[in-house]
């Protein structure tokens, strides 16, 4: 399946919700109060959040007050351009770092958000692109976590540094960094334990991991990415806020967009925190982690061909 098909398949639920609201107003030259409510509800249902929903409504109302503006898919175009504007600058890109010390990418997030799976998929993606990767299994909290990661790594031919169950996560990170340095790996990916963002002791463990890494490399981890389940709605935003405040995030990976998710949560997180989105999880296969693309995202949510806006 091509990249765009994956986006499209993954985001089909959100797309269907938006489509039904747009179908309702298709070909209309004026909108009723009920039409506006239907549009508002669709944007809410897709987890775009209140601010973005309000912006969309405001622009749709404005457009509907202008003659001819609603013809030829006008409402779709208005909504799409509002989202496009909010998402401008949101694409994170991981640059190739050959020949320097390992770039550390630390994946953090609550339990079950997809960190371990993302770690493996990302390792696969990076090696496929011709860079070398080392993985640190820093989730020493759950007994099965290291096994899960090793299982993936075997399948994808990736190297993992791990510790004993219950050992110090920061020590594993330190060892993994040493290994990555010795093997001249381009990237070191750190899988960490799932933690409740309200639990301070687990946050302290992350802070320690960072401190210990910095003994080796003051700039590490160069990337601190939150892995957030895209189907958790507004909860994802509150998680992101707390992790950002405590840990200083500089990237997002939004997973499970192929599940029950309606796809809008990433807009509300980006809008609020301005943290670039690097990858989307669009399924459970190794190549289901895809670089985030605003264009593909919007094309998947608003699948109809675009007509020019009669501005
Ligand atoms: N459908 C789907 N499932 C995912 C995705 N990412 C992770 N998962 C599943 O979510 C569950 C939890 O993932 P895991 O990586 O163990 O989460 P962790 O606790 O954050 O390490 C696993 O069953 C994964 O297969 C995704 O993008 N799509
Ligand atoms: Mg895990």
């Amino acid at each position: 399946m091509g990249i765009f098909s994956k986006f499209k398949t993954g985001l089909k639920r959100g797309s269907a919700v938006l489509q039904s609201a747009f179908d309702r107003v298709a070909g209309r030259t004026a909108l009723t109060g009920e039409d506006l409510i239907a549009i508002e509800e669709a944007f809410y249902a897709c987890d775009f959040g209140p601010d973005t929903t309000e912006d969309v409504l405001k622009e749709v109302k404005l457009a509907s007050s202008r003659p001819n503006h609603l013809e030829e898919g006008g409402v779709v175009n208005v909504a799409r351009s509002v989202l496009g504007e909010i998402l401008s600058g949101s694409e994170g890109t991981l640059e190739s770092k050959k020949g320097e010390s390992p770039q550390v990418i630390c994946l953090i997030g609550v339990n079950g958000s997809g960190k371990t799976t993302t770690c493996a998929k990302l390792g696969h993606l990076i090696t496929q692109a011709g860079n070398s990767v080392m993985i640190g299994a820093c989730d020493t909290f759950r007994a099965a976590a290291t096994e899960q990661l090793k299982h993936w790594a075997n399948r994808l031919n990736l190297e993992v540094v791990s510790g004993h169950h219950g050992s110090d996560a920061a020590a594993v990170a330190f060892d993994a960094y040493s290994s990555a340095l010795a093997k001249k790996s381009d990237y070191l990916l750190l899988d960490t334990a799932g933690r409740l963002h309200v639990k301070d002791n687990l946050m302290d463990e992350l802070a320690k991991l960072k401190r210990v890494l910095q003994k080796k490399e003051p700039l590490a981890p160069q990337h601190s990415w939150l892995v957030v389940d895209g189907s958790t709605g507004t909860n994802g935003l509150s998680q992101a806020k707390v992790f950002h405040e405590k840990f200083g995030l500089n990237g997002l990976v939004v997973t499970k967009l192929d599940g029950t998710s309606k796809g809008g949560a990433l807009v509300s997180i980006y809008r609020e925190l301005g943290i670039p989105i690097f990858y989307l999880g669009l399924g459970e296969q190794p190549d289901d982690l895809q670089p985030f693309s605003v264009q593909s995202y919007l094309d998947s949510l608003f699948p109809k061909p675009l007509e020019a806006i009669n501005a």
Side-chain angles (χ1 to χ4, degrees):
M1 209 192 282
I3 291 177
F4 181 58
S5 327
K6 281 193 189 293
F7 268 76
K8 223 173 151 174
T9 312
L11 291 162
K12 65 175 191 273
R13 281 166 200 79
S15 166
V17 170
L18 296 178
Q19 194 64 64
S20 68
F22 294 138
D23 280 348
R24 181 193 161 98
V25 300
R28 274 318 163 70
T29 50
L31 297 184
T32 65
E34 280 174 8
D35 291 334
L36 292 169
I37 289 172
I39 294 169
E40 182 176 21
E41 282 176 354
F43 276 80
Y44 260 109
C46 290
D47 296 324
F48 287 107
D51 296 340
T52 298
T53 302
E54 218 169 276
D55 284 354
V56 168
L57 271 190
K58 199 176 102 200
E59 292 302 319
V60 166
K61 276 185 203 161
L62 200 68
S64 75
S65 67
R66 288 190 214 131
N68 301 328
H69 205 101
L70 286 180
E71 291 166 6
E72 308 292 357
V75 174
V76 180
N77 285 336
V78 168
R80 187 190 155 109
S81 74
V82 169
L83 291 186
E85 228 165 86
I86 293 169
L87 287 174
S88 85
S90 63
E91 286 173 12
T93 38
L94 193 60
E95 308 203 332
S96 191
K97 289 286 177 189
K98 279 230 169 286
E100 297 170 28
S101 57
Q103 292 280 303
V104 182
I105 303 176
C106 190
L107 300 176
I108 63 180
V110 301
N111 243 331
S113 65
K115 295 175 296 299
T116 303
T117 324
T118 297
C119 198
K121 290 173 178 169
L122 185 57
H124 182 60
L125 204 67
I126 293 175
T127 43
Q128 296 255 303
N131 289 289
S132 56
V133 169
M134 180 68 66
I135 293 177
C138 300
D139 181 356
T140 52
F141 194 67
R142 273 194 323 124
T146 299
E147 287 318 305
Q148 183 193 358
L149 192 56
K150 281 185 175 166
H151 178 78
W152 271 96
N154 264 340
R155 186 176 156 195
L156 298 172
N157 212 9
L158 300 166
E159 253 183 287
V160 177
V161 172
S162 58
H164 302 295
H165 170 49
S167 63
D168 186 2
V172 176
F174 190 84
D175 289 348
Y177 190 88
S178 307
S179 255
L181 200 60
K183 300 212 164 167
K184 298 190 166 42
S185 307
D186 300 312
Y187 290 94
L188 170 63
L189 312 182
L190 299 179
D191 182 30
T192 66
R195 55 203 69 230
L196 285 171
H197 51 296
V198 289
K199 287 236 170 109
D200 271 346
N201 53 340
L202 289 172
M203 284 292 181
D204 290 347
E205 188 187 296
L206 270 183
K208 180 179 175 193
L209 188 153
K210 201 170 179 173
R211 272 198 317 275
V212 167
L213 267 179
Q214 287 172 348
K215 287 185 190 159
K216 283 263 180 197
E217 166 56 63
L219 295 176
Q222 288 84 350
H223 301 276
S224 299
W225 294 354
L226 182 72
V227 178
V228 61
D229 178 342
S231 59
T232 55
T234 50
N235 200 4
L237 174 59
S238 58
Q239 285 167 26
K241 277 184 186 162
V242 177
F243 277 107
H244 189 39
E245 196 179 294
K246 300 250 180 189
F247 203 67
L249 303 170
N250 58 8
L252 288 174
V253 176
V254 185
T255 62
K256 306 191 196 182
L257 287 172
D258 56 307
T260 55
S261 161
K262 306 236 170 29
L266 62 90
V267 175
S268 70
I269 299 177
Y270 179 72
R271 176 184 186 125
E272 181 87 15
L273 302 177
I275 303 165
I277 304 158
F278 283 78
Y279 295 95
L280 300 186
L282 295 159
E284 300 201 72
Q285 295 307 309
D287 60 350
D288 285 339
L289 188 75
Q290 295 290 338
F292 177 58
S293 146
V294 174
Q295 173 96 39
S296 299
Y297 175 73
L298 294 179
D299 284 349
S300 305
L301 283 175
F302 303 101
K304 288 206 166 160
L306 297 178
E307 309 290 339
I309 301 176
N310 315 316

